[in-house]
Amino acid sequence: MTTVRRGTKLPARWQLLVCGLLLLSSCSQEPLTAADPHADLPVPTRASHSSFSTTHASGIEIPFRTELKVQVPAELTDVLAFYRAELGKRGWQEKPDGMMVAADRALLAFASPKGPGVLRLDRAEGETTVDLVQRNTEIAAKANVLPISGQARLIFGYLVPDVASLVINDQTIKIEGGENHPQTLDLPPGTYSYQLLVSGHLVRTDTITLAADEAWDLHGDKEPSQVY
């Protein structure tokens, strides 16, 4: 057993160990910085995992929705401070509507130069999970994805013409079908039950919750997916 007394000179190997521990401690306290300061959606340098996904319309190269998912071994408060600072540098303006910050989760809405943005943070198992979404209003309008202001848009179709229908909000809508011929329906925000039928047979029955200015894809027997 080795006892270290105040004022006692440590052996060289112990000095190296103590210095290493002090270095690790100081590193863990360093503020988060952006791995690429020029990226539209910033990723912290200490991220353990990150992935991007984009949603495009046929024939339009620029995506109308971009999503970044990140896992960071850092406190939620530190990650939140990082994104508030970095998004502010990129011209994102935080909106008070719908803001929620708790010890283990946070939800913030932004107005970005390209369109609406949403930041979601969740804290679990020693890491903070980031879900950052930016929507491009101009491109969404060109792609016929943008709903009427204040409403939500459903996008649906079926490859085989004239055999499918959508039942929602007390309406039965015949799906014309065919490749690259999606139909749209704008609805007020809310939760709706719906059914998809093909040749009179039920393919899917489900509920969907729509928020203002969102767009969702209803695709056969798959779960609805948000596209804007």
Side-chain angles (χ1 to χ4, degrees):
M1 179 180 291
T2 302
T3 302
V4 179
R5 303 180 187 277
R6 182 173 297 178
T8 302
K9 185 176 181 180
L10 294 174
R13 65 178 183 275
W14 286 102
Q15 290 180 9
L16 289 173
L17 177 60
V18 171
C19 289
L21 291 173
L22 289 173
L23 180 60
L24 286 174
S25 175
S26 63
C27 287
S28 65
Q29 301 302 317
E30 289 181 359
L32 296 171
T33 57
D36 180 357
H38 304 294
D40 286 345
L41 303 185
V43 177
T45 49
R46 284 159 49 193
S48 60
H49 174 78
S50 65
S51 63
F52 284 92
S53 62
T54 56
T55 306
H56 298 254
S58 178
I60 302 177
E61 183 177 351
I62 300 173
F64 54 78
R65 186 177 189 270
T66 304
E67 183 173 18
L68 167 67
K69 293 189 175 184
V70 183
Q71 291 174 268
V72 191
E75 295 296 330
L76 186 143
T77 52
D78 294 336
V79 178
L80 179 58
F82 166 81
Y83 276 100
R84 275 177 161 159
E86 290 297 325
L87 294 177
K89 294 176 186 177
R90 290 159 174 77
W92 291 45
Q93 296 180 341
E94 190 173 332
K95 300 170 65 177
D97 299 343
M99 183 186 73
M100 184 277 295
V101 178
D104 59 349
R105 64 180 62 88
L107 174 63
L108 276 70
F110 293 86
S112 83
K114 294 180 180 179
V118 175
L119 173 67
R120 291 182 176 87
L121 303 178
D122 287 285
R123 178 74 178 167
E125 299 181 356
E127 288 194 321
T128 299
T129 301
V130 180
D131 188 353
L132 179 62
V133 174
Q134 184 182 38
R135 293 179 282 173
N136 190 318
T137 303
E138 180 182 356
I139 302 303
K142 290 180 179 179
N144 196 32
V145 171
L146 191 67
I148 297 171
S149 180
Q151 296 203 329
R153 173 159 293 186
L154 294 179
I155 303 169
F156 50 93
Y158 198 73
L159 286 177
V160 181
D162 302 323
V163 298
S165 57
L166 170 67
V167 180
I168 189 170
N169 198 33
D170 297 324
Q171 303 178 61
T172 299
I173 303 169
K174 188 174 182 180
I175 300 175
E176 296 176 3
E179 190 173 359
N180 296 324
H181 288 89
Q183 291 170 239
T184 63
L185 174 66
D186 288 345
L187 293 170
T191 299
Y192 297 87
S193 298
Y194 72 91
Q195 294 179 330
L196 284 171
L197 300 106
V198 176
S199 300
H201 299 287
L202 183 64
V203 173
R204 185 175 185 88
T205 180
D206 206 341
T207 59
I208 185 170
T209 299
L210 306 173
D213 304 317
E214 291 182 347
W216 289 76
D217 181 37
L218 302 181
H219 191 73
D221 60 352
K222 298 179 181 179
E223 291 188 1
S225 59
Q226 185 179 357
V227 295
Y228 180 80

